[in-house]
Structure formats: structure tokens, C-alpha cells
Amino acid sequence: MQTHNLIDLGDISKADLDEIIRLAAMIKANPSIFTDACHGKIMATLFYEPSTRTQMSFQTAMLRLGGQIIGFDNPSNASVAKGESLKDTIRVVSGYADVIVMRNPVEGSALAASMYSEVPLINAGDGGHLHPTQTLTDLVTLSAEKGSLENMTIGLCGDMKNGRTVHSLIKTLSKYKGNKFILISTPELQLPPYMLDVLRESGCPYSFSDSLEKSIAELDVLYMTRIQQERFRTAEEYEAQKGIYVLDKAKMALAKPDLIVLHPLPRVDEITVEVDDDPRAKYFAQAEYGMYARMALIITMLTGKADQDVPNGKVLDGRCCQNPRCVTRSEGYVPHLFYEKGGRSVCSFCDSLLEE
Ligand code: NCD
């Protein structure tokens, strides 16, 4: 693989991605062949934010490959609670482990951390920004359940604004031919501008919808998401958005017989439990595919020989990213780098547009 780290799935070539998806399917079919694939290797999981599936599936993945794990899932028990910078934590841990998996609420933190790591670093979610290993999970699920990653009408429903899984998924699936997107949400929770740029540039057709009921019959894939309560500024703003889109038996009755329903989980109230018994509901299978996806990723990262990645971008005299949730705002030593896109400057860490 060309890249040393996994920050954004876009860093991986399509050929490498196909290779990882194939490897995941092979592991699922023949797990016993891989029981020693990472013997003697250590993975550190640094979780600064709550997680069940992502953390446990990474840990199980490494254990099933014969490797070992260290790490924390409660930053209040780690040195960050004493004021340690991300850079220092990463420097220290990269001396202990062979691969680091990090989830952090700060946008762009994974890219920043990778600059100070001696070992491959995997982004397990950086705030509302990206979540590439969930997308890898989604791709492994789609290839197994649909047999292809092309020519699908994909409905994404719920929190398009704050849902990092949706951002990573659209970025990747828009590179496969023939895909069409229907973005189902309230106007307040629609995709952020940089994601709309991604869609525009990809040339994939996309449309907006405010009704799951009206759109469901068209879909080959329905990707439901949770309203991301923790990313709202006030309880009132969250209350105004929650419970608007609920997938239930009546809506499933309007859908194609070969629709598949995915959800990164955890579910709150956006899919009623009765839908779980519908054979088109694949979200629990998806969680299991995630373990195989991560096994394939760990093997690939630990056997890759690529050089350290360098963030793309340059310093602009005196300019700082304006996104208050960007890592350049909280970790003062991280350089303020920007890349050019359509004549505009964009933060290399969180992808926010720099306002003039
Ligand atoms: C997602 C996440 O953490 O972004 N969950 C996951 O990784 N399985 C989705 C969510 O929290 O809603």
C-alpha cells in the first residue's frame, strides 16, 4: 500500500482498497489461516471518545490475528488529563506499539497525530470529520451483500451535517461509477459545503429529499444514521431534530425487495426494532463485517513498506483555520496548512474553507 497511515480512505488507491476488501472476504471465509498473521505485534487503541463497535472490533481483530493490544478508552485515566499534548502522547505510544488506532473528538486530529507517529496510525473517527474504517466496513458489507460497489442508488438519511460515517462513505462511493445519492434530512442537518463540493466534483447525480417515505422506493441501499446529539450546541437544537426520520415496517413495505438497510450503529430511535427481523436489515451483519475489514486493514498496514506521509498544504502568512473544532486551534504546535481547491484555500486538517 502506498500510504503509511489511514486518515482518509481517499488516501488509498482503488486497487489497494479492492485488495483490502478481497482480503477481508478471504479472512471471513478462512479465519483459521490468519490466526498468527500478527503474532508478536502490538496495537495501541487510543480512544478519547466513547465507542463500542469500533474499539472492540479493532481489539478483537488484533486478538484474532494473534497480536496483542494496549491503550485507553477513558482519557480521564490517561496523561491527557494532566495536560499532555497529543503530540507527546503519540510520540510515546509509537515507541511502544507497532500500529496506533485513535478516535478523538477534534477534527483533523488524526492527520496531526500521524505527523508525530513513528508507526502507522489509523483514524477511528476525528470529530464530525471522517471515519474511514466505518466506510471500509460499509464497503466490505456492500460488496458481500450486493456483489458490487457500482450502479447503486444510495439513500443516506438522518444527520448529514455531523455524521462522519456519511462523509467518508460519500467520498468513497462517489468514486465508483454509476452511483447516485439521495440525501434525506432536514435542511438544518444537510451536508456541509465541502461535502457538497466533493459530490459536485465527482459528477455523480445527487438530490435532496425531506421525506424518507417518498424516497425509499427508489433505493438499492438505505444508510440510516443517528442524530449526533453530542455535536449539537444546545439541547433545544437537538430536541428539534430528533425523531423526525424513523424507518419502520410500513416504510419498508414501500421499498424494493433487494434493498439493503445499513446503519453504522449505535441506533437510538431511527429504526424500529420490528425492522430487525426483515431480511433486508443488514446492520448487525455489517458490524460483524467490520471486524473482518479491520483484520484485513491491520495486516495490510503492518506489512506495508510505504514512507511516512507528509500533509499536503502550505502555510499562508498569518492565516489560521476558522473552524473552532479544528486541531490547529487546540494543539498550538500544529502548523496552519492550507491546500487550494477551486481557487479557495482549505484547511489541510479539517477540510474547512478559509473565509476571506
Ligand atoms: C458511528 C460513529 O462513531 O461515528 N459509530 C460507529 O463507529 N460504529 C456512528 C455514530 O456514532 O452515530
Side-chain angles (χ1 to χ4, degrees):
M1 195 158 82
Q2 289 303 309
T3 166
H4 182 74
N5 303 299
L6 178 58
I7 307 303
D8 178 341
L9 219 46
D11 303 339
I12 302 186
S13 70
K14 240 165 131 188
D16 284 339
L17 202 52
D18 289 343
E19 206 47 55
I20 298 174
I21 295 169
R22 252 198 306 276
L23 180 57
M26 203 194 291
I27 299 172
K28 185 172 190 292
N30 308 286
S32 61
I33 301 177
F34 297 89
T35 47
D36 277 328
C38 292
H39 178 78
K41 299 288 185 191
I42 295 177
M43 179 179 77
T45 50
L46 311 184
F47 275 66
Y48 293 80
E49 249 192 357
S51 165
T52 308
R53 263 152 303 276
T54 306
Q55 185 183 207
M56 285 175 64
S57 68
F58 262 114
Q59 293 179 340
T60 334
M62 190 53 161
L63 294 172
R64 283 180 186 271
L65 295 170
Q68 287 174 291
I69 50 174
I70 57 170
F72 59 77
D73 57 9
N74 182 353
S76 56
N77 292 338
S79 283
V80 61
K82 300 180 189 165
E84 185 171 62
S85 68
L86 183 62
K87 174 179 175 177
D88 288 3
T89 305
I90 295 296
R91 281 232 162 121
V92 170
V93 176
S94 73
Y96 300 156
D98 300 291
V99 56
I100 297 176
V101 177
M102 184 182 85
R103 168 171 289 188
N104 192 301
V106 179
E107 297 179 10
S109 53
L111 179 59
S114 74
M115 293 167 64
Y116 308 108
S117 178
E118 299 293 327
V119 298
L121 188 136
I122 299 173
N123 180 9
D126 59 333
H129 187 219
L130 294 170
H131 193 350
T133 70
Q134 179 62 47
T135 299
L136 192 58
T137 297
D138 302 339
L139 298 184
V140 169
T141 310
L142 286 169
S143 350
E145 298 289 338
K146 281 276 176 203
S148 163
L149 297 175
E150 297 176 347
N151 300 319
M152 297 180 290
T153 299
I154 303 142
L156 300 117
C157 178
D159 193 342
M160 306 291 103
K161 181 177 176 210
N162 302 299
R164 54 193 170 193
T165 57
V166 169
H167 302 166
S168 285
L169 186 61
I170 292 175
K171 271 181 125 177
T172 307
L173 281 181
S174 62
K175 292 190 186 139
Y176 288 83
K177 72 170 193 292
N179 286 334
K180 178 178 160 195
F181 298 90
I182 302 183
L183 309 164
I184 308 161
S185 85
T186 60
E188 291 80 7
L189 295 187
Q190 260 310 345
L191 284 181
Y194 86 91
M195 279 305 308
L196 292 174
D197 287 345
V198 167
L199 273 174
R200 255 191 302 271
E201 283 160 21
S202 75
C204 288
Y206 65 95
S207 57
F208 301 101
S209 164
D210 61 2
S211 165
L212 178 55
E213 205 153 7
K214 283 191 201 136
S215 302
I216 196 165
E218 280 184 68
L219 307 177
D220 301 307
V221 179
L222 171 58
Y223 198 89
M224 292 297 294
T225 63
R226 171 179 73 87
I227 306 300
Q228 306 276 301
Q229 180 173 11
E230 66 281 23
R231 314 232 185 267
F232 282 75
R233 270 178 310 205
T234 64
E236 293 71 45
E237 283 176 42
Y238 169 68
E239 290 296 323
Q241 295 293 334
K242 74 167 212 221
I244 296 181
Y245 298 101
V246 178
L247 180 64
D248 56 16
K249 236 174 152 173
K251 291 192 190 83
M252 286 299 281
L254 306 171
K256 291 184 184 172
D258 62 348
L259 167 82
I260 68 168
V261 181
L262 302 182
H263 189 308
L265 303 177
R267 143 177 73 182
V268 182
D269 53 8
E270 58 280 355
I271 303 181
T272 59
V273 283
E274 60 193 15
V275 176
D276 300 356
D277 299 327
D278 189 305
R280 294 169 292 178
K282 297 291 181 193
Y283 29 92
F284 292 116
Q286 182 187 2
E288 190 186 330
Y289 282 115
M291 180 182 71
Y292 298 111
R294 289 174 175 114
M295 288 170 84
L297 179 66
I298 294 168
I299 293 177
T300 308
M301 306 277 305
L302 286 175
T303 50
K305 288 199 185 59
D307 292 333
Q308 190 102 16
D309 315 325
V310 180
N312 158 33
K314 57 178 201 264
V315 173
L316 299 178
D317 244 1
R319 297 307 307 269
C320 300
C321 177
Q322 292 138 339
N323 172 9
R325 300 194 279 202
C326 177
V327 68
T328 56
R329 305 285 296 263
S330 50
E331 305 279 331
Y333 50 86
V334 177
H336 293 269
L337 299 177
F338 298 91
Y339 63 90
E340 290 293 310
K341 198 164 158 206
R344 309 280 305 269
S345 300
V346 182
C347 174
S348 301
F349 293 91
C350 72
D351 294 301
S352 297
L353 271 179
L354 183 65
E355 299 299 336
E356 296 308 324

